[in-house]
């Protein structure tokens, strides 16, 4: 793989890491506010609070994962597979909440952002395949 491609992938994964860090800062460290912003309702149940905060804790873990991938994009493809599946799943869930009238249009920030990263991850795997790099 060429240095230019590696640099491009490093930038993509640094950006993905920062995207997840920003989400985690809002969702994990300001859980009730973020929940209210997405769903237009108060988060008062302690069980739901913990579950919702834990979901954003997963986002914090994604920050760590994409940071590792940025260090060596060719070596850490498994992290991208798992992260990409998570991004698609989370975006679909938020979209279903929106369609059901449970979430407001603010969720499209996350839906569109995660969809863009998913497309970039597909591009990443296509380029790895074209360069005859081992994917897993």
């Amino acid at each position: 793989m060429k240095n230019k491609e590696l640099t491009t992938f490093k930038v993509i994964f640094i950006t993905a890491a920062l995207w997840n860090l920003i989400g985690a800062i809002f969702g994990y460290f300001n859980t009730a506010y973020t929940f209210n912003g997405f769903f237009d309702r108060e988060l008062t149940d302690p069980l739901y609070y913990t579950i919702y905060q834990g979901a954003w804790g997963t986002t914090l873990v994604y920050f760590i994962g994409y940071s590792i991938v940025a260090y060596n994009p060719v070596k850490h493809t498994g992290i991208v597979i798992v992260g990409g599946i998570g991004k698609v799943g989370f975006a679909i869930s938020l979209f279903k909440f929106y369609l059901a009238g449970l979430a407001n249009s603010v969720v499209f920030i996350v839906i569109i952002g995660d969809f863009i990263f998913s497309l970039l991850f597909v591009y990443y795997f296509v380029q790895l395949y074209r360069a005859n790099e081992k994917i897993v």
Side-chain angles (χ1 to χ4, degrees):
M1 182 162 290
K2 298 175 186 172
N3 282 339
K4 182 180 177 184
E5 289 175 317
L6 279 176
T7 301
T8 299
F9 293 138
K10 287 180 180 194
V11 169
I12 288 170
F13 290 111
I14 289 168
T15 306
L18 293 173
W19 169 258
N20 283 276
L21 179 62
I22 291 167
I25 287 170
F26 283 105
Y28 190 81
F29 297 107
N30 202 353
T31 306
Y33 176 81
T34 304
F35 185 87
N36 183 267
F38 278 13
F39 303 107
D40 289 328
R41 57 185 75 189
E42 298 297 319
L43 183 57
T44 56
D45 186 300
L47 177 61
Y48 288 164
Y49 183 96
T50 302
I51 292 168
Y52 189 71
Q53 186 179 46
W56 285 107
T58 301
T59 303
L60 187 57
V61 172
Y62 280 41
F63 159 72
I64 296 165
Y66 294 134
S67 297
I68 292 168
V69 175
Y71 180 73
N72 187 343
V74 176
K75 182 179 179 183
H76 300 291
T77 56
I79 294 172
V80 183
I81 291 170
V82 173
I85 291 168
K87 289 207 161 302
V88 170
F90 191 58
I92 289 170
S93 293
L94 286 177
F95 188 61
K96 287 167 50 177
F97 285 146
Y98 177 79
L99 291 177
L102 298 172
N104 63 41
S105 60
V106 172
V107 298
F108 279 99
I109 295 169
V110 176
I111 292 169
I112 292 168
D114 279 359
F115 181 71
I116 289 169
F117 281 111
S118 298
L119 291 176
L120 290 170
F121 295 170
V122 168
Y123 169 74
Y124 159 76
F125 283 112
V126 167
Q127 293 306 103
L128 287 175
Y129 179 78
R130 286 183 179 166
N132 293 320
E133 296 288 348
K134 186 177 174 185
I135 293 188
V136 178

